Amino acid sequence: MLCYSNLFCVSNFTEEQARNRFQSELEFIQCLANPNYLNFLAQRGYLREKPFVNYLKYLLYWKEPEYAKFLKYPHCLHMLELLQYEHFRKELVNAQCAKFIDEQQLLHWQHYSRKRTRLQQALAEQQQQQQLPHGNATAK
C-alpha cells in the first residue's frame, strides 16, 4: 500500500500511477470552480448519474488542509460542497444559473482584490511611518 498522507492511500498502484491519479483528481476538482463547466456537466447528464455523484462525494477529502494546500482555486471546494445537494445539481442545467454564479464569483474576486490592495497599501504606509525618524531631530 502506498500512502501520500494518512488520508490518501492506494493499494495495487505503482508510485507513478498514484501520482497520476492525484494529479488528475487535482485538475478535475479545480475545474469545479468554473460554473460554465458545471453547466456543461449538468446539461450532458453527468450530475444525474449515481456513480458520478458518488465520485463527487469521494472528492470531499480535498477539503482536508493537507490536500487543500495544493489547490490554486480554493473556490472549487465550495462548489464541491454545493454539488453534494441534488437541488443544486438540478439547477445547474439552467445556463442562467451558471451565469449568475459566474457573475457572483467575479464580484467577489473584484471586491477581494480591491480590499487586499487597500490593506497592502495601509501596511506599506504603516511600515514607512515606522522607519521615519521621530520628530524633527534630523532637521535643523
Side-chain angles (χ1 to χ4, degrees), residues 26 30 68-75:
L26 174 63
Q30 292 191 105
K69 68 183 178 185
F70 294 104
L71 297 171
K72 261 188 185 175
Y73 309 105
H75 190 73

Side-chain angles (χ1 to χ4, degrees), residues 4-41:
Y4 282 98
S5 74
N6 61 345
L7 294 175
F8 190 68
C9 294
V10 288
S11 56
N12 301 327
F13 282 108
T14 66
E15 188 172 339
E16 182 180 351
Q17 289 171 322
R19 196 175 325 114
N20 288 340
R21 178 178 173 175
F22 178 84
Q23 186 175 2
S24 296
E25 289 178 0
L26 174 63
E27 289 176 16
F28 175 74
I29 196 166
Q30 292 191 105
C31 289
L32 299 180
N34 182 341
N36 295 310
Y37 180 63
L38 296 178
N39 176 251
F40 169 85
L41 292 174

Side-chain angles (χ1 to χ4, degrees), residues 4-111:
Y4 282 98
S5 74
N6 61 345
L7 294 175
F8 190 68
C9 294
V10 288
S11 56
N12 301 327
F13 282 108
T14 66
E15 188 172 339
E16 182 180 351
Q17 289 171 322
R19 196 175 325 114
N20 288 340
R21 178 178 173 175
F22 178 84
Q23 186 175 2
S24 296
E25 289 178 0
L26 174 63
E27 289 176 16
F28 175 74
I29 196 166
Q30 292 191 105
C31 289
L32 299 180
N34 182 341
N36 295 310
Y37 180 63
L38 296 178
N39 176 251
F40 169 85
L41 292 174
Q43 288 184 348
R44 306 276 176 308
Y46 291 106
L47 299 182
R48 290 189 306 263
E49 295 177 3
K50 187 71 172 159
F52 192 80
V53 172
N54 288 340
Y55 181 63
L56 293 172
K57 187 174 184 176
Y58 156 77
L59 290 174
L60 286 170
Y61 77 87
W62 282 95
K63 292 176 70 179
E64 297 297 327
E66 58 196 280
Y67 295 101
K69 68 183 178 185
F70 294 104
L71 297 171
K72 261 188 185 175
Y73 309 105
H75 190 73
C76 66
L77 294 177
H78 182 65
M79 300 308 270
L80 178 62
E81 187 67 37
L82 290 173
L83 285 166
Q84 303 305 310
Y85 298 98
E86 183 179 7
H87 179 73
F88 181 72
R89 293 191 306 267
K90 286 181 179 179
E91 288 296 320
L92 285 169
V93 173
N94 183 352
Q96 284 301 109
C97 176
K99 184 176 187 230
F100 176 77
I101 294 169
D102 192 41
E103 290 169 351
Q104 293 303 304
Q105 282 181 333
L106 181 60
L107 290 172
H108 172 75
W109 290 330
Q110 287 174 339
H111 173 74

